[in-house]
Amino acid sequence: MNSVKISPSILSANFAFLGEQVREAEEAGVDYIHVDVMDGHFVPNITIGPLIVKALRPVTKLPLDVHLMIENPERYIEDFAKAGADIITVHQETCPHLHRSLQQIQNLDVRAGVSINPSTPANTLDEIISEVDLVLVMSVNPGFGGQSYIHSCTAKIQKLREMLDQCGSSADLEVDGGVNVETVNEVIGAGANAFVAGSAVFNDKNSVAENVKLLREKIKNT
Ligand code: DX5
Ligand code: ZN
């Protein structure tokens, strides 16, 4: 059991061989599979829907960590739950009734996550933090893989770690965007116990197994 969880984002995978890429990641010893869902409204890009989650479900035993970067996510939560999502994360910025949206997820026996953009303060989660199963800190502006880590987000990770500890929560504190061998220790040092890695895991430089090994070694050696 690894204490730091790696959630590779399939956004950077080769979609023509998606099943194989997910299998490779599982064999490399990752913890979750991160699925980035984008609607072309909340974020500029359009990606995938519940069909892909359903197709991936029989391919892996790992939890499917579904990140909804979509407006009105409550309209699609049930579809993603039925498709086999284990964690569904909604954005605070898209949910005027955040408590209701999180309950909707948990009532479907799925772990409920909440995400905040780089410009959204940690204290917008004050009233909800004790109820969530995962907090996803965006360390890039959501929409694309391969962007650079925004260093001002590190203080927010520390703050959220304090908030979770204060209420005795064992929720995952996961960081998403620009996490690679250069930045991973900044993220873990700030108190995250999980991170998403897209382009650092799926790239042309190394195999998935090599990239996961490099990340694990980097965490271990500091
Ligand atoms: C960004 C997505 C991320 C992205 C991460 O909107 O939510 O999950 O795929 O990619 P990297 O790790 O390349 O920044
Ligand atoms: Zn994501």
Side-chain angles (χ1 to χ4, degrees):
M1 181 71 185
N2 299 304
S3 55
V4 174
K5 293 173 185 156
I6 304 184
S7 189
S9 165
I10 61 166
L11 190 61
S12 296
N14 183 340
F15 274 68
F17 304 97
L18 195 52
E20 276 170 48
Q21 296 257 275
V22 167
R23 257 183 238 115
E24 268 185 71
E26 181 164 9
E27 278 165 26
V30 304
D31 301 276
Y32 296 152
I33 298 294
H34 189 79
V35 182
D36 284 312
V37 178
M38 306 185 185
D39 66 351
H41 291 274
F42 177 57
V43 291
N45 204 358
I46 300 178
T47 57
I48 58 174
L51 264 180
I52 301 291
V53 173
K54 194 175 174 193
L56 287 179
R57 185 62 290 170
V59 170
T60 178
K61 289 194 176 62
L62 293 175
L64 296 174
D65 171 24
V66 177
H67 177 193
L68 298 185
M69 287 161 277
I70 62 175
E71 287 179 2
N72 304 118
E74 61 287 343
R75 287 163 60 183
Y76 299 98
I77 284 168
E78 192 173 350
D79 290 348
F80 282 102
K82 280 191 182 148
D86 298 277
I87 304 166
I88 296 179
T89 296
V90 292
H91 267 259
Q92 183 271 354
E93 299 87 356
T94 63
C95 293
H97 306 290
L98 182 57
H99 184 271
R100 180 186 287 154
S101 304
L102 294 168
Q103 286 221 314
Q104 189 189 348
I105 298 169
Q106 287 170 340
N107 288 341
L108 290 159
D109 275 332
V110 174
R111 290 163 64 189
V114 63
S115 183
I116 51 175
N117 282 338
S119 63
T120 303
N123 65 16
T124 55
L125 301 182
D126 270 352
E127 309 300 329
I128 206 79
I129 196 135
S130 61
E131 318 235 358
V132 302
D133 302 298
L134 180 144
V135 177
L136 183 66
V137 182
M138 290 310 302
S139 44
V140 297
N141 290 296
F144 304 95
Q147 303 182 78
S148 299
Y149 182 81
I150 299 172
H151 290 277
S152 58
C153 296
T154 305
K156 189 157 63 173
I157 303 169
Q158 283 168 340
K159 194 160 181 199
L160 284 159
R161 168 47 61 209
E162 282 168 23
M163 286 163 65
L164 286 168
D165 288 351
Q166 237 163 39
C167 63
S169 169
S170 58
D172 280 334
L173 179 54
E174 187 174 56
V175 176
D176 187 1
V179 184
N180 53 37
V181 285
E182 306 297 331
T183 54
V184 68
N185 283 320
E186 183 168 336
V187 161
I188 301 308
N193 73 303
F195 65 92
V196 175
S199 50
V201 167
F202 298 107
N203 58 42
D204 295 334
K205 277 183 269 168
N206 300 304
S207 69
V208 170
E210 280 162 348
N211 282 328
V212 170
K213 195 167 160 233
L214 287 172
L215 285 164
R216 289 255 184 248
E217 278 171 2
K218 197 76 192 184
I219 301 166
K220 209 168 50 193
N221 290 334
T222 38

